[in-house]
Amino acid sequence: MSDHSLIIGLESRLLNAWPSFDYQTYDGWILRLANGYSKRANSATPFLPGATLDDELIDYMIARFVEANVRPTFRLNGVEAPDVDERLKLRGFKEIEATHVLTASISSEDCERDPEVVLEPQVSKRWVREAAGSYGGDKADDETLMKIVSRIRQKAAFATLSLDDRPVAWGLGVVERGYVGLYDIVVAPDLRGIGLGRRVVSSLMAWGCGEGAHTAYLQVREENEIARSLYGALGFGTAYRYTHRVMPGRSASG
């Protein structure tokens, strides 16, 4: 993908929709920190076409990560200079978790909401607790998740789907400048694979339609073929791909 304007436009929306606690800028890079919760909120990402890295800048940003007790991570979205990936590789940074940013056009047929999916404009402790609990692992940290989503300044919708009064699927939609971003789509572990996530995604797209969005976007790991197939069936296609280069020897969070 060589359309840097599309990449930077989506990256800017992502940055606003999934806020970090600390932002630092370095010669076309934005370094974000949020107590290690999710790589997209705890990494250095290029925001300037041709953004370069030299050893001095790499060392400086590594020190900032270490001060924050976050694994040094560079998130490479294709905007950076061509030699950046190789430079990090030679420094011992390992490539992990290739991720696709997917987009789908929203048509009039996508604008009808599922009546059983409840959408709330403000986050609740219950939504955070239940969504984080269904994620499990490192993402079970509901306190940090609450701090992140409470910082969202764009219009948002927190979705919950219940079956027989039991909450079973969750999602977050954030609208900005004609796009609705879909985040934290998660289903209760014992009910995955029966279409509940699809219902949440469709309802958030319909909500976005009502808020003037013409396009939906989301992120999915390259290895998650089941999710990519689901989103493909909903009309999503890859806009661009990014990878992570992480410093070995420190624990990672997803």
Side-chain angles (χ1 to χ4, degrees):
M1 167 60 69
S2 59
D3 188 348
H4 289 168
S5 62
L6 172 64
I7 296 173
I8 292 172
L10 286 171
E11 290 283 315
S12 299
R13 290 170 172 86
L14 184 155
L15 184 148
N16 293 332
W18 195 255
S20 295
F21 307 157
D22 184 18
Y23 298 81
Q24 302 170 27
T25 61
Y26 302 105
D27 300 342
W29 295 80
I30 295 183
L31 190 157
R32 307 174 66 203
L33 299 167
N35 292 351
Y37 190 98
S38 81
K39 286 183 179 61
R40 59 181 174 242
N42 293 272
S43 54
T45 300
F47 270 80
L48 183 70
T52 61
L53 282 177
D54 58 24
D55 287 338
E56 181 181 14
L57 183 54
I58 292 172
D59 289 339
Y60 193 84
M61 286 200 275
I62 286 173
R64 305 290 78 73
F65 281 113
V66 172
E67 286 171 358
N69 196 31
V70 170
R71 185 178 188 178
T73 301
F74 290 84
R75 188 172 159 278
L76 306 182
N77 56 24
V79 170
E80 70 279 352
D83 67 334
V84 166
D85 184 64
E86 183 66 18
R87 183 179 289 273
L88 290 170
K89 179 181 178 180
L90 292 174
R91 289 286 300 262
F93 281 74
K94 304 300 183 184
E95 183 178 32
I96 63 169
E97 294 179 15
T99 300
H100 289 244
V101 178
L102 309 180
T103 59
S105 297
I106 297 175
S107 68
S108 58
E109 298 176 355
D110 301 319
C111 297
E112 185 173 345
R113 283 166 48 176
D114 186 327
E116 294 186 357
V117 177
V118 176
L119 301 179
E120 299 176 301
Q122 302 293 332
V123 67
S124 66
K125 290 183 178 179
R126 178 180 178 180
W127 186 94
V128 168
R129 182 178 65 251
E130 292 170 346
S134 288
Y135 263 124
D138 291 334
K139 289 192 173 181
D141 182 357
D142 55 341
E143 181 179 351
T144 301
L145 178 57
M146 173 64 87
K147 289 180 179 179
I148 288 174
V149 297
S150 295
R151 283 170 163 76
I152 298 171
R153 297 295 177 258
Q154 319 300 322
K155 184 168 286 189
F158 295 85
T160 304
L161 170 61
S162 298
L163 296 180
D164 297 326
D165 296 324
R166 175 196 169 190
V168 295
W170 302 264
L172 165 63
V174 183
V175 166
E176 182 188 343
R177 294 176 290 148
Y179 286 76
V180 56
L182 308 180
Y183 297 85
D184 270 14
I185 308 299
V186 60
V187 176
D190 60 324
L191 291 172
R192 291 173 181 169
I194 61 173
L196 301 180
R198 181 184 184 124
R199 291 174 64 182
V200 171
V201 168
S202 296
S203 290
L204 288 172
M205 289 177 68
W207 169 79
C209 174
E211 297 295 334
H214 53 71
T215 304
Y217 72 93
L218 54 83
Q219 300 157 94
V220 61
R221 287 188 188 177
E222 188 167 83
E223 66 192 23
N224 192 344
E225 295 181 0
I226 294 175
R228 289 173 61 195
S229 177
L230 162 67
Y231 294 131
L234 288 171
F236 283 86
T238 298
Y240 63 99
R241 176 181 180 272
Y242 65 83
T243 61
H244 303 88
R245 283 283 180 184
V246 298
M247 176 176 280
R250 296 171 62 89
S251 62
S253 51

